[in-house]
Amino acid sequence: MKKKKKLRGMTLVEIIIAIAVFAMVSLILVMLGTAVGRQRQSSYRVNRKVAVQGPIAEAQNDNNALLLDDEYEIVVSKKGAAETAVTVKGKLYSAQGYIIDEDGNQVADPNAEKANLKFIEIQKPTT
């Protein structure tokens, strides 16, 4: 008579425990992925804001900014609604270095190292 080999395998309890362990590990990985995604998105927003506002802030803090126009105006209105227009007045500066010409006027320095970044110092809109 042949002996029957006893088949060994996983019991139902072992399979349920393995599935539960895999589910917990998966949940932890998903939570970590979500947290990393939020952190990446937040740092992207901050970096984008710094990239846009950094040079302007640096230029505004630079005492060597060249005043281009002290009565600069920007009119902002909705398309087709000129009656609701808001006028913003301010001073237009350039962050490019300047030199004093022979007449004593400030003129842009063609050999300056800075880029020609312009910014506006505005007053609160009146209308």
Side-chain angles (χ1 to χ4, degrees), residues 29-115:
L29 290 176
V30 167
M31 288 172 39
L32 282 173
T34 303
V36 168
R38 277 194 226 130
Q39 182 66 31
R40 181 190 56 80
Q41 199 173 34
S42 175
S43 65
Y44 173 75
R45 281 195 303 268
V46 168
N47 287 339
R48 189 175 58 195
K49 190 173 184 180
V50 167
V52 170
Q53 293 179 356
I56 296 171
E58 183 179 335
Q60 287 174 336
N61 288 332
D62 188 3
N63 293 331
N64 296 324
L66 173 64
L67 177 63
L68 298 176
D69 187 358
D70 60 348
E71 295 180 11
Y72 197 76
E73 287 188 7
I74 299 174
V75 179
V76 181
S77 68
K78 229 179 195 183
K79 196 174 196 180
E83 64 275 354
T84 61
V86 175
T87 301
V88 178
K89 295 180 182 180
K91 297 178 181 179
L92 178 65
Y93 290 92
S94 172
Q96 184 176 7
Y98 63 88
I99 56 174
I100 307 293
D101 65 2
E102 48 283 335
D103 297 329
N105 300 321
Q106 294 177 348
V107 292
D109 183 3
N111 301 322
E113 293 181 21
K114 290 185 179 180

Side-chain angles (χ1 to χ4, degrees), residues 2 11 14 21 26 32 37 45 55 57 61 67 82:
K2 288 186 175 179
T11 64
E14 291 172 329
V21 168
S26 298
L32 282 173
R45 281 195 303 268
N61 288 332
L67 177 63

